Amino acid sequence: MTERELFDSYNKEVYRTCYYMLRNAQDAEDLCHDVFVTVFRQKWRSVEHIRAWIMRITMNHCLNLLKKKQTKREKQNQVQWLHEQTTASVKSVDTIVLEKEAAAEWEKLLNQLPDKLMAVITLRYVGELSMAEIAETLEIPVGTVKSRLHKALKIMRKKLKQNQSFWLKGEKQYGTY
């Protein structure tokens, strides 16, 4: 495999992971470039599990950048990760509004997670990596991946229930429209 073939094979996946971790297209593009510079400077041809190795480099670059930008303001600039248009059909205005509200709610929930938990959620549900691949990527045991995934989902469920009970109280108090 040539460097060009390697780049073509993994470029989109690396960019997507960077984008969902950083929530910024320019940062994702820059980091994607940096990842491949790092890969090509290494002896990548001798790596047995190339995908997991590249994703580990990607996550390390992302986490390093997130550590540098560890402010609330930048975390809140993260854009939606949940919705990608799944069909080319025209959607009703109601559907679009509901999808945007749901995406905004998921984004808000994600923003409240610590970086370690957000990394596991992103790799699992956006990158569609298995538990073993996530463990290899982050260089942590599979049990830790499961634990972080469970904890992140538990936190998100709790926040979601709090939001729902808040809205239900509001409907009872003020009536529904």
Side-chain angles (χ1 to χ4, degrees), residues 10 13 37 55 61-62 67 70-71 78-79 86 98 106 114 119 122 128 133 142 146-147 149 155 161 165 171 175:
Y10 296 103
E13 189 172 358
V37 167
M55 295 311 292
H61 277 69
C62 289
K67 285 176 190 174
Q70 192 80 27
T71 64
Q78 298 174 342
V79 290
T86 55
L98 289 174
W106 281 110
T122 301
E128 298 176 353
E133 290 172 320
V142 174
K146 291 178 181 179
S147 166
L149 186 60
I155 290 170
K161 281 185 181 180
S165 65
E171 285 179 1

Side-chain angles (χ1 to χ4, degrees), residues 47-62:
V47 175
E48 186 176 347
H49 302 286
I50 193 86
R51 178 177 185 244
W53 181 70
I54 290 173
M55 295 311 292
R56 181 183 322 134
I57 292 170
T58 302
M59 287 307 297
N60 286 340
H61 277 69
C62 289

Side-chain angles (χ1 to χ4, degrees), residues 26-164:
Q26 187 61 48
D27 286 346
E29 211 172 289
D30 292 344
L31 215 58
C32 183
H33 176 265
D34 293 346
V35 166
F36 282 100
V37 167
T38 302
V39 166
F40 295 142
R41 287 183 177 165
Q42 305 293 322
K43 295 182 180 182
W44 60 271
R45 286 182 172 88
S46 63
V47 175
E48 186 176 347
H49 302 286
I50 193 86
R51 178 177 185 244
W53 181 70
I54 290 173
M55 295 311 292
R56 181 183 322 134
I57 292 170
T58 302
M59 287 307 297
N60 286 340
H61 277 69
C62 289
L63 292 172
N64 288 341
L65 186 61
L66 284 172
K67 285 176 190 174
K68 290 177 187 174
K69 292 182 162 193
Q70 192 80 27
T71 64
K72 281 281 187 193
R73 186 176 48 96
E74 281 136 353
K75 276 187 145 186
Q76 292 176 355
N77 286 336
Q78 298 174 342
V79 290
Q80 58 181 254
W81 66 275
L82 180 64
H83 274 281
E84 292 180 306
Q85 190 169 356
T86 55
T87 62
S89 63
V90 177
K91 297 178 182 178
S92 71
V93 172
D94 290 341
T95 303
I96 293 170
V97 168
L98 289 174
E99 286 177 352
K100 285 188 178 192
E101 285 176 3
E105 190 168 355
W106 281 110
E107 179 183 346
K108 184 179 176 185
L109 290 173
L110 252 186
N111 286 337
Q112 295 172 1
L113 291 176
D115 292 339
K116 287 181 179 182
L117 300 181
M118 185 174 57
V120 172
I121 289 285
T122 301
L123 288 173
R124 181 73 180 119
Y125 296 108
V126 176
E128 298 176 353
L129 270 65
S130 69
M131 299 287 185
E133 290 172 320
I134 295 169
E136 192 172 340
T137 299
L138 297 177
E139 296 180 317
I140 57 176
V142 174
T144 304
V145 172
K146 291 178 181 179
S147 166
R148 288 181 184 175
L149 186 60
H150 175 75
K151 185 174 182 177
L153 292 174
K154 184 177 177 181
I155 290 170
M156 291 175 79
R157 273 190 215 105
K158 183 178 177 184
K159 298 278 187 190
L160 202 55
K161 281 185 181 180
Q162 288 173 348
N163 290 349
Q164 287 174 342

